Amino acid sequence: MTEDNHSLTTEFILIGFSNHPELRTILFLVFLIIYLITMVGNLGLVALIFIQRRLHTPMYIFLGNLALMDSCCSSAITPKLLQNFFSKDRIISLYECMAQFYFLCLAETADCFLLAAMAFDRYVAICNPLQYHTWMSNKLCLQMTTGAYIAGNMNPMIHTGFLFRLTFCKFNQINHFFCDVLPLFRLSCVDPYINQLMVFIFAGSVLIFTITIVVISYFFILFTIFTMKSNKSRGKALSTCASHFLSVSIFYGSLIFMYVQPNSGNEGDKDIPVAIFYTLVIPLLNPFIYSLRNKEVINVTKKF
């Protein structure tokens, strides 16, 4: 038995933003406001879609589930982040760490499939409007939503399971503001090559599959839009898709930069700005991206 084997780490210290104590109060208020607006915006959108029967269509069902997953993503990260601003030890146990990663990965994976489902829904609505209600039936909508949640749970189950093959006996300081797998790999006493390979394979597979659906859908959407003779119809179709395309571009761009690029696990604190963007900023922006450009949601909100 070596000395390292006698002191396996079961708790970690989240360094987060502790290197800037002078900004502690300001950062706490900023992230608190972001969290409150995120929860009010997303859960408010979920409640609005649930209450108003005229919004019980495939597009808004997908949007409501996307808002629910954005709330899950933000809630998995922000409460612990806010607590650590005024905590002396900033300790998180290994099992708390795994739970935090599980719910974050669940939300992000489900988001990928929901965004792909929304892209397909827009393709049918614009390219085959007469067959929309036939294609986008309640049964297909339920199957696509259920599939997103099943895939959302399977992905973190695999990565969380593989975390049990790692042992942590060196440093216990995570240079991040939440427990992600990439910072954990850097602390492992066991070679995390298999874990990194699994992240690359599964993250890459999810992104390639869902991005392919989005790209193909928007290829046919743009082709149909630019063949329309009416400028009014063309503008209406572009307006309908613009918010979704903006959200998709920001979301997928952040995930690819974070998890699929080569040597993505060796960037240290360079991961933090990107992580803030896809875990906190995107869930904040999505309700406004979809609501402010959607006349039907605005009208229902005013009426309500």
Side-chain angles (χ1 to χ4, degrees):
M1 296 288 287
T2 63
E3 184 179 350
D4 284 341
N5 288 334
H6 289 286
S7 56
L8 297 180
T9 299
T10 58
E11 293 182 335
F12 302 96
I13 298 174
L14 292 171
I15 299 299
F17 302 95
S18 61
N19 293 329
H20 306 283
E22 71 281 1
L23 299 176
R24 181 177 63 178
T25 304
I26 295 175
L27 290 174
F28 174 84
L29 292 174
V30 168
F31 287 119
L32 176 62
I33 291 170
I34 288 176
Y35 181 61
L36 292 176
I37 295 175
T38 299
M39 298 305 291
V40 170
N42 283 290
L43 294 182
L45 190 58
V46 171
L48 189 67
I49 292 171
F50 180 79
I51 292 170
Q52 295 294 323
R53 292 185 60 86
R54 61 184 293 186
L55 297 181
H56 291 182
T57 61
M59 181 178 73
Y60 293 109
I61 291 172
F62 294 141
L63 179 57
N65 283 278
L66 183 71
L68 186 63
M69 287 295 96
D70 283 343
S71 300
C72 176
C73 175
S74 187
S75 294
I77 302 298
T78 313
K80 188 66 177 179
L81 170 63
L82 295 175
Q83 177 190 343
N84 285 344
F85 277 115
F86 298 99
S87 174
K88 293 181 179 180
D89 47 33
R90 301 186 301 279
I91 288 177
I92 184 169
S93 72
L94 177 60
Y95 294 106
E96 286 179 307
C97 197
M98 289 181 175
Q100 191 178 59
F101 167 73
Y102 183 94
F103 287 106
L104 174 65
C105 188
L106 160 65
E108 300 294 350
T109 305
D111 274 0
C112 288
F113 285 93
L114 289 169
L115 288 170
M118 292 171 72
F120 179 75
D121 175 79
R122 291 300 83 203
Y123 157 73
V124 177
I126 293 174
C127 301
N128 299 280
L130 298 179
Q131 296 179 317
Y132 180 78
H133 294 289
T134 303
W135 285 25
M136 297 303 298
S137 62
N138 291 334
K139 181 180 179 180
L140 179 61
C141 182
L142 178 62
Q143 289 173 341
M144 295 173 77
T145 305
T146 304
Y149 283 108
I150 291 174
N153 278 282
M154 287 180 61
N155 193 30
M157 280 182 185
I158 292 168
H159 298 307
T160 305
F162 271 91
L163 281 177
F164 284 101
R165 68 174 291 272
L166 303 180
T167 55
F168 306 94
C169 53
K170 297 178 182 178
F171 303 103
N172 68 336
Q173 295 186 344
I174 298 177
N175 192 17
H176 218 302
F177 62 93
F178 68 93
C179 265
D180 197 4
V181 289
L182 301 183
L184 284 177
F185 293 164
R186 292 190 283 267
L187 300 180
S188 175
C189 302
V190 178
D191 185 1
Y193 171 76
I194 294 178
N195 298 69
Q196 291 173 330
L197 183 63
M198 296 302 289
V199 169
F200 182 81
I201 291 173
F202 280 92
S205 298
V206 169
L207 289 173
I208 289 172
F209 177 74
T210 54
I211 287 175
T212 299
I213 294 175
V214 171
V215 169
I216 293 175
S217 297
Y218 272 96
F219 173 80
F220 286 106
I221 288 171
L222 292 175
F223 179 80
T224 302
I225 288 175
F226 288 115
T227 56
M228 291 178 177
K229 296 181 180 180
S230 170
N231 290 332
K232 184 177 180 180
S233 299
R234 189 183 304 167
K236 184 178 180 181
L238 283 172
S239 177
T240 301
C241 297
S243 56
H244 180 255
F245 187 75
L246 176 62
S247 178
V248 164
S249 301
I250 296 172
F251 180 73
Y252 281 121
S254 301
L255 289 184
I256 290 171
F257 183 86
M258 190 73 178
Y259 293 105
V260 184
Q261 63 169 338
N263 300 319
S264 58
N266 300 315
E267 294 297 320
D269 56 2
K270 294 181 182 178
D271 294 340
I272 292 179
V274 182
I276 290 174
F277 203 73
Y278 80 84
T279 59
L280 301 178
V281 176
I282 291 177
L284 169 70
L285 294 179
N286 272 345
F288 300 100
I289 290 175
Y290 286 107
S291 300
L292 295 179
R293 295 187 60 86
N294 192 310
K295 292 182 179 179
E296 190 168 6
V297 172
I298 293 174
N299 291 335
V300 170
T301 303
K302 289 180 179 178
K303 183 180 179 181
F304 181 74

